[in-house]
Amino acid sequence: MKKTWWKDSVVYQVYWRSFYDTDGDGYGDLEGVIQKLDYIQNLGIDVIWLNPCYDSPDIDNGYDIADYREVMPKAGTMETFERLLQEVHNRGMKLIMDLVVNHTSDQHPWFKEAQSSKDHPKRDYYIWRKEPNNWRSYFTPSVWEFDAQTEEYYFHSFAIEQPDLNWQNPIVRQEIYSIMKFWLDKGIDGFRMDVINLLAKQEGFPDAENPEDISYLGNNPGIHDYLREMHEEVLQHYDIFTVGEIPFVTPEDGLLYVGEDRQELHTLFHFEVCDYMANWDMERFKEIQRRWYQGLWGKGWNSQFLNNHDHTRLVTRFGNDTTYRVESAKCFATLLHLLPGMPYIYQGEEIGMTGVRFNSIEDYHDIAMKNKYQEEVEKGREPEEVFASLLHLSRDNSRTPVQWNDMPHGGFTNGTPWINVNPNYKEINVAAALNDPESVYYFYKKLIQLRKENEVMVYGSFQELFEDHQQIYSFIRELDDEKWLVVLNISEQQVQIKLPESLSLLEKELLLTNYNNQEEQNSELQMRPYEARIYRI
Ligand code: NOJ
């Protein structure tokens, strides 16, 4: 398998608005990212993924862009951005940016012009129809919004304020390529491509049998032509890294996006776990990993993540955020860093930050959650009940500010934070983590260091043990003479297992574990709640 710098990398996601505020406006900013770069570098990070900081009315936290060549004032200025990039590079790290080109903001001049008249030359930058079909969008009951001035509907996969671009229009495509070059020529190291498989739409917009299953939005004919063209016109001319956000994708289709012979993207995020597994489901998780390994290994590269700015923090959603917070955070970290694929760390994950439970819908800002709340209440459902049902997966679970210390607002801001800080900041914060050699932080650091020293974590093959076990996830990674055994107890119970005779652990090196006091073991292991072990065998 071809070795590349990005396959070896660990990525750290910076959701800058919740990272660190330096000007007291309650929003994190790019200057804040600069000031915390040493922290990120000390963790051992190779690549930073920066969420969108382009000029935007901020209806969907920057995913609604009004000017692709400007920096949002809340984030800073172009000068700050350029300094950030320089400082990242000075520390030997790389920076990738979000590329959000399925849609723009409705405040983008292109849309305003397109909306001004049916005959405007830019009308065709967007998608217009005389009649809607029955599709729903991610955030609203219909993908169509009526425009009173020109008496047609425009198409939006997300909020009403996020009209989709018409990728069938070659001028639109050229505009986007030029924007990509603008940033790449500044020296950025690649893109995380927002819902990139949504660019191509179904011809004729036929009604769906089940409009609730919105997979009709993605993977439509034409998508690979667009991506190949993008590769030819832009990507191939730079030494960069690309990761596509690709919902509704199977490994077979995934390979079409990231196959090494395809000239499209390097890696992808699929959402079989984060979009479809509300709580931990061992059987399902194993099946997903197995299928993706079989589908991609040797042909294309995968990613591993269990949370990001759209998905509830992993200890709260999949682990245990009270009694076993630290143990489960470390156990899932081991899982993510030892499975085949590039590991992504979402800011705060490295100190075991947890999801939130605010008291009222007023405390929430996530447009997906707020719209859903309103939609359900309008249907006549009890507001309390709707509210309760939305808490577990609200995107704000992961959007609360990074907890830096035990000062007011967790040291995130001197002002009023745009979203409340998780009240547990006095206990869970970066300063406390840095002071505690047993913290989640130092465990991540060790995992990242191990990866740098051992190619088996990147290029080693993957073979499962105990395939049907409901609590234990165990596998072997192997590369040349190097063979590692990973054993994880992803449960709150103590579990005993007996390894196959051929795998005696006597005198084998225990490379990393999240529990002290390991007794020498032969083939019988007593695994404590969320215990994780990595052996060189
Ligand atoms: C995926 C992004 O991660 C999410 O935050 C955003 O709302 C949608 N794409 C729309 O851009």
Side-chain angles (χ1 to χ4, degrees), residues 106-321:
D106 63 351
Q107 300 305 305
H108 194 294
W110 294 341
F111 188 70
K112 290 190 175 171
E113 289 175 58
Q115 208 179 15
S116 67
S117 124
K118 276 188 198 160
D119 308 319
H120 195 283
K122 290 210 169 76
R123 180 75 171 176
D124 204 25
Y125 271 39
Y126 295 86
I127 301 163
W128 302 90
R129 284 288 177 282
K130 292 196 174 27
E131 293 298 329
N133 69 354
N134 72 350
W135 294 6
R136 65 167 294 135
S137 84
Y138 271 87
F139 298 163
T140 60
S142 172
V143 289
W144 301 101
E145 179 66 11
F146 188 64
D147 173 56
Q149 196 180 324
T150 55
E151 300 192 324
E152 281 186 344
Y153 295 83
Y154 68 84
F155 186 91
H156 60 92
S157 297
F158 294 88
I160 290 169
E161 298 86 348
Q162 291 167 297
D164 282 34
L165 284 164
N166 176 15
W167 271 73
Q168 276 187 346
N169 181 344
I171 306 172
V172 167
R173 304 205 297 271
Q174 288 306 321
E175 296 258 28
I176 300 300
Y177 302 152
S178 142
I179 290 163
M180 292 171 75
K181 288 182 201 154
F182 172 84
W183 291 97
L184 289 167
D185 290 340
K186 283 186 186 292
I188 67 164
D189 303 290
F191 292 111
R192 173 269 188 191
M193 301 188 176
D194 194 60
V195 287
I196 202 68
N197 63 329
L198 266 54
L199 303 184
K201 315 298 182 204
Q202 273 183 32
E203 201 56 50
F205 297 101
D207 269 346
E209 225 164 90
N210 171 17
E212 292 299 312
D213 171 5
I214 60 170
S215 55
Y216 40 72
L217 293 176
N219 304 311
N220 290 314
I223 182 61
H224 297 290
D225 299 330
Y226 298 152
L227 291 177
R228 281 171 176 223
E229 184 185 85
M230 181 190 280
H231 188 272
E232 199 177 303
E233 301 244 345
V234 186
L235 303 175
Q236 66 161 339
H237 304 291
Y238 300 85
D239 176 20
I240 52 166
F241 162 64
T242 54
V243 49
E245 190 198 30
I246 309 205
F248 327 117
V249 76
T250 59
E252 294 72 39
D253 288 342
L255 201 53
L256 301 177
Y257 292 93
V258 302
E260 293 192 353
D261 54 349
R262 293 278 302 173
Q263 314 293 318
E264 293 190 24
L265 306 176
H266 288 140
T267 64
L268 54 73
F269 298 132
H270 70 75
F271 290 88
E272 290 208 39
V273 178
C274 279
D275 276 354
Y276 300 102
M277 220 177 87
N279 298 298
W280 186 252
D281 180 338
M282 182 69 106
E283 204 175 314
R284 192 156 167 189
F285 186 84
K286 285 183 176 178
E287 187 276 326
I288 293 169
Q289 293 299 331
R290 208 174 286 146
R291 206 157 25 79
W292 276 88
Y293 177 72
Q294 283 160 5
L296 290 196
W297 194 248
K299 299 175 236 160
W301 211 250
N302 204 353
S303 320
Q304 297 292 348
F305 67 102
L306 284 175
N307 49 205
N308 62 25
H309 65 293
D310 293 330
H311 298 281
T312 302
R313 289 189 173 279
L314 64 87
V315 281
T316 300
R317 180 168 175 187
F318 299 125
N320 177 315
D321 64 4

Side-chain angles (χ1 to χ4, degrees), residues 346-494:
Y346 175 64
Q347 65 182 36
E349 177 187 326
E350 77 283 7
I351 58 163
M353 275 179 62
T354 66
V356 274
R357 279 282 186 277
F358 295 136
N359 292 330
S360 127
I361 189 75
E362 306 306 322
D363 293 327
Y364 285 86
H365 301 257
D366 169 18
I367 186 173
M369 178 192 193
K370 297 205 100 134
N371 281 9
K372 190 73 189 161
Y373 175 83
Q374 203 185 335
E375 189 183 327
E376 294 300 312
V377 169
E378 276 168 14
K379 280 187 201 156
R381 279 181 65 195
E382 268 311 308
E384 300 281 287
E385 179 203 317
V386 176
F387 179 61
S389 72
L390 296 173
L391 291 175
H392 183 51
L393 296 181
S394 163
R395 303 194 297 178
D396 285 342
N397 274 297
S398 59
R399 295 179 176 185
T400 61
V402 171
Q403 299 159 202
W404 292 102
N405 53 44
D406 61 4
M407 309 284 280
H409 307 308
F412 162 69
T413 179
N414 292 327
T416 307
W418 70 273
I419 182 170
N420 292 337
V421 174
N422 192 317
N424 63 19
Y425 70 87
K426 292 213 162 135
E427 181 205 338
I428 304 169
N429 60 64
V430 170
L434 294 177
N435 271 327
D436 172 9
E438 303 295 324
S439 69
V440 177
Y441 170 87
Y442 287 110
F443 194 83
Y444 268 89
K445 194 168 161 141
K446 281 184 205 153
L447 277 169
I448 297 169
Q449 186 61 29
L450 266 186
R451 170 173 295 254
K452 293 199 195 307
E453 292 161 1
N454 297 279
E455 286 200 327
V456 65
M457 277 174 83
V458 182
Y459 301 103
S461 62
F462 167 85
Q463 195 203 332
E464 264 182 89
L465 302 173
F466 304 102
E467 288 192 16
D468 300 323
H469 205 293
Q470 291 296 320
Q471 284 99 21
I472 298 292
Y473 198 9
S474 176
F475 49 86
I476 292 174
R477 300 290 309 269
E478 189 170 0
L479 181 72
D480 306 326
D481 296 339
E482 193 73 12
K483 197 168 174 185
W484 287 15
L485 170 69
V486 180
V487 189
L488 309 166
N489 174 9
I490 310 186
S491 85
E492 289 166 20
Q493 290 91 46
Q494 167 124 345

